Amino acid sequence: MFDIQEFYEAKSVEDAVKALSENENAEVISGGTDVLIRVREGKDAGKALVSIKNIEEIKGVKMLENGDLFIGAGTSFTHITNDPLIQKHLLMLGEAVDTVGGPQIRNMGTIGGNICNGATSADSAASIRALDAIVHLVGPEGEREVPISEFYTGPGKTVRKWNEVCTGFRIPRENYEGWSGKYIKYGKRKAMEIATLGCAAMVKLSEDKKSILDCRLAYGVAAPTPIRCKKAEESLKGADIHDEKRMEEYVKIALTEVNPRSSWRASKEFRLQIIATLAKRALEEAIRLQGGEIHA
């Protein structure tokens, strides 16, 4: 049994905002793969749930007139993975959300719920952080845009107000065009596993594919919130893709920017090991995807 005060099916984003604003005990539910678990465990018992599951305007992936990509918050993981625009421009994100749970979870779960839960272990979080996405929120005062770098405020916490609805995530054209990226999830098993660590690396190579013009490195579960290792990124700009000394320095710097904790899944020391390994491995895979020749 679920201890739910009431359940309301919103007909539009505005309808959902109104329902949320009228009850401070209300909570948004979309796919329900996280919310219903919390309710069953008693963490959110007695909540009034406002469902945005059937609001079509917040579903799907589209390219805007300026070339930016917009992913509706209500888009399921399965849809994202299989969407032609994602496969062409954001393959890293498509692969990342394809590691979430099993097929049933991916069919139900949405990217909006995954990000708005604020969990640093969310499989979409590292990729969205690396892509510097813009979060679109709608509340009683209207719409606002929040850079993903400012969205997380702590473990399981974000700047989204209780009566705001996340409508989607915008990926600026300059954040995906000309880039290649790779997401690697580390877990104790290959399926149905919450990430022990998630790493997303992106790279933009020179025309001859021999040097790094720019790169990005983002992690989930390496700190209280998903993070970018910007000092490590800067250290590799202009480096030859075969420069092992620069690569080693990049890994060392990344380790100074993270702050993992020990948990029942892994110790802090083990996570630091994985962070170092994946910093190099994910970047090398991204380089290969862009046509650079990396010899193991």
Side-chain angles (χ1 to χ4, degrees):
M1 292 289 291
F2 293 108
D3 183 5
I4 298 171
Q5 183 187 82
E6 62 182 80
F7 183 90
Y8 179 74
E9 185 77 51
K11 300 172 182 62
S12 66
V13 171
E14 291 71 22
D15 188 32
V17 171
K18 182 175 181 293
L20 290 167
S21 299
E22 291 173 350
N23 188 347
E24 291 189 8
N25 195 41
E27 183 173 356
V28 172
I29 182 171
S30 185
T33 56
D34 288 314
V35 173
L36 290 179
I37 290 172
R38 292 201 303 270
V39 171
R40 187 175 62 192
E41 291 176 345
K43 296 175 183 177
D44 284 352
K47 288 279 188 178
L49 301 182
V50 176
S51 174
I52 59 173
K53 177 68 177 175
N54 294 316
I55 301 177
E56 293 300 320
E57 64 188 283
I58 61 170
K59 294 181 182 181
V61 182
K62 61 184 177 181
M63 182 173 285
L64 306 180
E65 288 185 9
N66 63 357
D68 292 359
L69 286 169
F70 190 87
I71 305 169
T75 311
S76 72
F77 301 126
T78 299
H79 183 128
I80 291 171
T81 299
N82 295 316
D83 187 272
L85 287 171
I86 296 292
Q87 291 182 353
K88 183 177 180 180
H89 301 291
L90 298 175
L91 187 60
M92 175 181 69
L93 178 61
E95 291 178 342
V97 299
D98 201 39
T99 67
V100 176
Q104 299 95 330
I105 296 295
R106 294 194 292 272
N107 288 341
M108 291 291 293
T110 64
I111 190 168
N114 205 226
I115 297 296
C116 289
N117 279 339
T120 186
S121 59
D123 286 302
S124 62
S127 296
I128 286 290
R129 189 73 178 82
L131 288 161
D132 258 353
I134 308 296
V135 185
H136 286 241
L137 302 168
V138 174
E141 289 79 37
E143 184 174 9
R144 64 179 178 130
E145 300 179 2
V146 181
I148 194 68
S149 58
E150 301 171 13
F151 187 67
Y152 297 96
T153 59
K157 297 179 180 179
T158 72
V159 299
R160 186 184 71 85
K161 299 173 184 175
W162 103 90
N163 58 356
E164 285 185 313
V165 172
C166 175
T167 57
F169 307 89
R170 179 167 56 84
I171 315 296
R173 182 175 182 174
E174 62 270 19
N175 289 348
Y176 72 83
E177 194 170 70
W179 292 83
S180 293
K182 182 67 178 179
Y183 174 77
I184 300 177
K185 174 179 181 175
Y186 181 90
K188 292 182 179 180
R189 55 189 185 187
K190 291 184 178 180
M192 301 291 285
E193 173 74 336
I194 295 174
T196 300
L197 192 86
C199 175
M202 296 175 63
V203 71
K204 185 183 286 188
L205 298 180
S206 58
E207 194 172 338
D208 62 6
K209 309 298 182 185
K210 292 183 178 179
S211 61
I212 297 170
L213 296 180
D214 205 351
C215 71
R216 291 180 181 177
L217 178 66
Y219 286 104
V221 210
T225 63
I227 60 164
R228 280 266 304 276
C229 296
K230 294 192 174 183
K231 292 179 182 178
E233 296 169 359
E234 286 293 326
S235 73
L236 268 188
K237 287 184 179 180
D240 186 283
I241 62 173
H242 300 114
D243 190 332
E244 283 298 320
K245 287 186 178 179
R246 291 282 290 274
M247 186 67 78
E248 289 173 10
E249 186 65 18
Y250 149 82
V251 172
K252 287 179 182 177
I253 294 173
L255 288 171
T256 69
E257 298 184 82
V258 297
N259 183 29
R261 67 181 181 90
S262 292
S263 71
W264 65 268
R265 288 193 184 89
S267 67
K268 175 178 180 177
E269 292 73 21
F270 183 59
R271 281 200 170 98
L272 286 170
Q273 251 187 313
I274 306 170
I275 287 166
T277 300
L278 295 191
K280 183 178 181 182
R281 185 180 299 171
L283 185 69
E284 287 180 344
E285 288 299 319
I287 289 171
R288 287 192 184 96
L289 287 169
Q290 188 137 129
E293 293 185 10
I294 295 287
H295 306 292

